[in-house]
Every structure is written in structure tokens, then in C-alpha cells.
Amino acid sequence: MYTKESILDEVNGIRSEIGHEDVNISIEEIYYKNNELWIITEDRPDKSAIIGKGGWVVGKLREKLGLESIHVESYGDFLNKEYKLRLSKKTVHNLDLDLVGLKNLEYTIDNKLTNIYSFNFDTYFKEHEFEESENTEVVVALSGGVDSSFSLILAKKLGFNPTAVTVDPGTIILPKQFKENIRNITESLDIHHEYITADYSDIIQESFTGKFHPCGRCSKNTSELVKEYAKNNEIPIIVFGDMLATGTQCINMQDDALYRLNLPASLSVGKQEIKSLIRTYDLKEFKGFGCPLLYEVHRKFPYLKKFSIQRILRETRSGALEPGEALDLIWSFYKI
């Protein structure tokens, strides 16, 4: 229905109409399905040219073609994602764990590799209903944010038989709106959920001395409490919403017979994929990181913002965040 040549003609015409300069644009591949168009460019500058300043070009292209959406990606980014997915598949496959949920995860990685340009989690799970397995219990660390909620949805849909646990240090770290998300997602998925009350007063007090960034210690404490819960309940896998531990690090042994599975990272997902799936659930999305403690620390000690920005840049470099998304996150630190 669409060809590289016809799309380039439309793009160049729109760029000329709105006063953009003439550039040579190279398209690697066009893919159309269900009123959605994927334009795979040869490199990121070609992608930028098709998107245009402020997204004007691709926006006008979508309107002109009457499409529901247009996705513009660079071929190099897909090569990087494909490589990470192959490493994830190898890592999961080589585990000495005969668990149905992990086999379903490997199958899903395979499916994403086969349909790497157009893979959509919502469509995929409508077409693939995995039966929940009693022998694949996992604990999902659920904060109420988009990444952990996405992980819980994946764990349920892949048949992992999940239990959700939330470490609750108080509203300065876990505000009320996050608890609303937790209730909504666990009730919607019919998943057992437990709160673990924790005393983080030392971390909070030391954070307001300006001597260290709070996220590292907070994350470590939370991980240890979730691990302890899994051990006490003899559950072999803990699931986190980490997006950076891709490939060979997507799942690793924590202690004897206890594994940490970074579910979004295992499937090399980006933020847009996460948001696309969780939109089908009644969840609120929050600007920035959503942690009141972090924003208070930023306000009182602006120099600590650089450590938060470093995390954002790591996710951008890995491909989990688009530059525009990263800019919005960084900018949110300067609106307080």
C-alpha cells in the first residue's frame, strides 16, 4: 500500500511546506499493519528528519495519510535491540530451571525477534493466552509506578503465578497516589498483594544532610526486603522492573535457589512499549520520578540532581528512553 518512494515524496513535500531545509533521507524499510505505519530509517539523522522539529513532519504525515499512528525508528536501534534479545534468549534458555513461566518468556522473546518492527504487547497477549502454572511462583516488587506495574502485568500474562509485594516506608517515599495504582492493578489482575512496612528513617534523615543521593540506599533496602520475603515463602524468583540489566544480566542468581528476573530488561523494552500496555489498565501516570523524598533532596541540594540525571542518561544510552523522554524527566527536576 505504501512504498519508500511514496513516503519520501510525502515527507519532502511536508518539510518544504513548513519551511524545513532540504535533506537526503534514507529509508531502510516500510511496514504497514492495522492502520499503523512503521518507517525504519537507515540511521538516526534520517529518523529525525522524518519526525521533524517538534514532531511537525510526522504529525502532518499521519494526518495526510489518515493513519492511526506512525512509528519512526532507525535500523541501527533495531540491530541493538535484536542483539540484546538474542542474549536474553540465550541466558533464559541456559538456566537450569524447568519452569513454565520461563519457557513462556523464552517463547515471547522469540516472537518479538520474529516481529521486531511491529511487536505490540497488548496485541500479543490477546493472541496468546498462557495458562498460569502453579510451579512458577514469583514475587513481583510493586511500587505503583509504570515499570513495576508493567512487570506485574507481564508476570501474570506469561503464567508466572505472581504475588505482589510493596515495601512501604511512608508517604515521603510511597505517596497515596501510588497506593491507588497498586490497588487498581492488583485487583484488575486478581493478584495477591502484601505491604511490607519498613523503617527508612535513617535513609531519610541522612538524605537531608546532602552527603549522598537517596536512591541507591533506598533501592538496596527494598531489594533486600523483597528477597527476604521470597526466601521466607520459598518462592524461587523475584521480579523487578529494571530496564537496564539486559541480555546476559536479565536474570541472575541472588543466593542459593533464588533468582532475580529483570522482566522489562529481558524483553529489551522501552518506555513507550510500557506505557502502551499499561494504558489498558486504570493507572495514573506521574511526571518525573514521583518520589517526594527525591524532589525534596533536589530542592534542598541541587548538586545532587546530577546523580539522578546520570541514571536518566544511562537509560537513554541503552535505548530504554528516547532523548525527548529523557529531556522531559530532566526538565521535571527544574520545575520544583
Side-chain angles (χ1 to χ4, degrees):
M1 185 175 181
Y2 299 103
T3 65
K4 299 178 188 178
E5 292 74 18
S6 66
I7 293 299
L8 282 173
D9 285 344
E10 295 287 1
V11 168
N12 287 324
I14 292 169
R15 287 183 60 86
S16 177
E17 287 172 14
I18 63 178
H20 284 6
E21 67 276 11
D22 291 334
V23 291
N24 292 321
I25 303 171
S26 298
I27 295 178
E28 177 75 19
E29 189 170 344
I30 297 291
Y31 187 87
Y32 175 79
K33 183 179 180 183
N34 298 331
N35 206 32
E36 291 186 279
L37 180 68
W38 280 262
I39 304 173
I40 314 304
T41 65
E42 288 190 355
D43 206 352
R44 290 190 71 93
D46 301 304
K47 172 181 174 178
S48 298
I50 292 177
I51 292 174
K53 296 174 183 176
W56 281 16
V57 177
V58 74
K60 287 185 174 293
L61 180 65
R62 182 185 63 79
E63 291 175 5
K64 194 168 186 178
L65 299 180
L67 297 174
E68 184 175 324
S69 61
I70 296 177
H71 311 273
V72 188
E73 301 289 350
S74 77
Y75 185 57
D77 290 342
F78 277 110
L79 287 176
N80 184 34
K81 182 173 290 189
E82 181 182 15
Y83 180 67
K84 291 176 182 177
L85 285 168
R86 294 196 183 282
L87 289 177
S88 291
K89 179 186 173 183
K90 179 181 176 182
T91 302
V92 173
H93 182 78
N94 289 340
L95 284 173
D96 188 22
L97 291 172
D98 186 21
L99 301 175
V100 172
L102 289 175
K103 292 185 184 299
N104 292 340
L105 173 59
E106 185 180 350
Y107 177 83
T108 301
I109 293 171
D110 257 337
N111 196 285
K112 191 170 185 182
L113 279 165
T114 304
N115 303 281
I116 195 163
Y117 292 152
S118 60
F119 185 87
N120 177 280
F121 282 103
D122 188 38
T123 303
Y124 177 74
F125 286 126
K126 286 176 181 176
E127 296 173 351
H128 299 80
E129 293 187 11
F130 297 108
E131 187 175 346
E132 194 168 288
S133 174
E134 291 289 333
N135 79 329
T136 317
E137 285 187 290
V138 297
V139 175
V140 179
L142 180 63
S143 69
V146 292
D147 298 347
S148 67
S149 298
F150 177 81
S151 298
L152 186 64
I153 297 167
L154 281 188
K156 178 72 172 182
K157 296 292 186 180
L158 290 170
F160 272 111
N161 189 19
T163 294
V165 298
T166 302
V167 176
D168 185 3
T171 55
I172 193 169
I173 293 176
L174 186 69
K176 181 181 177 181
Q177 58 266 33
F178 279 76
K179 289 188 174 183
E180 291 176 6
N181 272 0
I182 289 166
R183 177 178 55 80
N184 288 338
I185 193 68
T186 53
E187 287 182 358
S188 177
L189 294 170
D190 190 23
I191 290 174
H192 175 68
H193 172 260
E194 292 186 34
Y195 279 104
I196 301 173
T197 304
D199 182 6
Y200 280 23
S201 56
D202 287 346
I203 294 176
I204 295 168
Q205 289 170 11
E206 290 178 12
S207 295
F208 289 122
T209 66
K211 293 180 179 178
F212 71 92
H213 193 277
C215 290
R217 295 190 187 187
C218 186
S219 177
K220 182 179 179 181
N221 276 28
T222 299
S223 296
E224 290 300 321
L225 288 168
V226 175
K227 282 169 61 176
E228 184 180 349
Y229 179 94
K231 287 180 182 178
N232 291 341
N233 289 275
E234 298 182 341
I235 298 175
I237 299 175
I238 51 177
V239 172
F240 285 87
D242 192 337
M243 298 172 67
L244 289 175
T246 56
T248 56
Q249 299 302 312
C250 70
I251 185 168
N252 52 68
M253 182 175 283
Q254 299 287 287
D255 295 300
D256 290 340
L258 179 63
Y259 289 82
R260 172 174 174 144
L261 172 60
N262 302 299
L263 207 41
S266 71
L267 286 154
S268 193
V269 302
K271 284 286 187 183
Q272 288 305 313
E273 288 180 280
I274 289 176
K275 291 177 180 178
S276 177
L277 181 61
I278 68 168
R279 282 192 189 106
T280 60
Y281 297 84
D282 186 23
L283 299 179
K284 295 179 181 178
E285 294 184 35
F286 309 107
K287 297 289 186 181
F289 283 89
C291 174
L293 173 62
L294 181 60
Y295 282 101
E296 281 301 307
V297 169
H298 282 172
R299 185 181 62 80
K300 193 171 183 179
F301 308 104
Y303 56 87
L304 289 176
K305 292 178 183 180
K306 68 178 182 181
F307 298 106
S308 299
I309 293 171
Q310 282 177 345
R311 170 75 183 191
I312 294 169
L313 295 179
R314 286 200 301 273
E315 290 194 354
T316 308
R317 188 169 61 248
S318 74
L321 276 177
E322 283 292 315
E325 296 171 316
L327 183 60
D328 286 343
L329 277 173
I330 293 171
W331 181 238
S332 72
F333 299 157
Y334 295 91
K335 292 182 176 180
I336 56 175

